Amino acid sequence: MTNPRRQRDYEGYLCVPFYPRHVRDVEYAIRAFNVELASIRESVSNPNTGKMRMQFWKDTIDKIYKGNPPQQPIALALDAALKHSQLSSLWFKRIINERMTNLDDHQFMTINDMETYSENTASSLLYLQLESLGIKDVNADHAISHIGKMIGITTFLRSLPFHLSQKRMVLPAQITAKYNISQEEVFRNGHVEGLEDAVFEVATAANDHLLTARSMLKSVPSDAFPVVLSAIPTARYLEKLEATNFNVFDTSLQRKDWKLPLALWNAHRKQEI
């Protein structure tokens, strides 16, 4: 896939070399599909245009599985991927449907709502990667579910400054109400009293999923570890966020993690996250 997509998914692409060589092109295709969908919201001026783009991908997935992909680079890459791996269309469509429902920028009500969104997007992506390896294992599914929820929740924290600049609140309403955070004030000023406490509570929920996934690792087949490695970039962000006392505006959080390749290699060598 093209370099711009790799740049938008730098951390994800760093994980691909840990997959067996014969499925790496499959991983690149899956990740390119995910980047394409994730970029739709910011590339359209209104939700209806976004829904049309999402519908295009729904129709495209149907055509790919019927053996008639459109002449579009990602569609062709996915078509080629299906010749090497058995991938369920269910996960592709689940990602599309969940992202489509989120195009209107509605605020999550609870952390459970964030978890549901994350399960249907980030976890579904990881399920596809498990399938690409030919792994069907309940323990792997459970661990990956928790890793996906951790990734999905943390992604909202990582992007919180950007969303606030666009006057979008992605922290759950239950949490912002608990800490008396005014949307108008946070949109105007960015940093407001209580924001760190709200971020801490959401980050704790994400970290709980990481701890649960770690507790299950010994029961997960070693062949699934390339997928498990997806947890490392997000786990490192949570550690850095804690070091800033949960200040999402700290500029250190925006720097590229140059030590990440070594961290991934060490995690893979030790089979730990």
Side-chain angles (χ1 to χ4, degrees), residues 239-270:
E239 290 174 1
K240 290 189 289 184
L241 181 62
E242 182 179 16
T244 70
N245 200 26
F246 301 95
N247 176 13
V248 293
F249 295 102
D250 193 295
T251 55
S252 67
L253 297 173
Q254 306 304 320
R255 298 187 197 122
K256 184 173 285 190
D257 185 353
W258 296 108
K259 294 182 179 179
L260 180 56
L262 179 60
L264 288 167
W265 184 83
N266 280 328
H268 187 265
R269 180 173 58 88
K270 298 175 182 177

Side-chain angles (χ1 to χ4, degrees), residues 99-132:
R99 287 196 176 278
M100 186 182 290
T101 61
N102 204 48
L103 284 171
D104 60 1
D105 298 332
H106 63 272
Q107 185 179 9
F108 295 112
M109 293 305 296
T110 66
I111 288 178
N112 283 343
D113 292 335
M114 293 183 88
E115 290 174 335
T116 298
Y117 177 88
S118 302
E119 170 70 20
N120 289 334
T121 53
S123 296
S124 293
L125 178 72
L126 300 180
Y127 295 144
L128 281 167
Q129 294 184 296
L130 269 185
E131 286 187 339
S132 75

Side-chain angles (χ1 to χ4, degrees), residues 65-91:
Y65 276 83
K66 291 176 181 175
N68 186 31
Q71 296 300 301
Q72 196 273 356
I74 297 175
L76 293 173
L78 288 174
D79 180 61
L82 289 180
K83 293 176 171 59
H84 295 279
S85 299
Q86 290 188 330
L87 305 175
S88 171
S89 63
L90 166 70
W91 306 123

Side-chain angles (χ1 to χ4, degrees), residues 177-202:
K178 179 177 179 180
Y179 296 103
N180 297 313
I181 295 172
S182 161
Q183 283 202 23
E184 290 74 16
E185 188 179 352
V186 77
F187 290 159
R188 185 169 59 250
N189 300 323
H191 186 276
V192 296
E193 185 178 350
L195 187 61
E196 283 95 343
D197 293 328
V199 169
F200 168 74
E201 188 158 337
V202 175

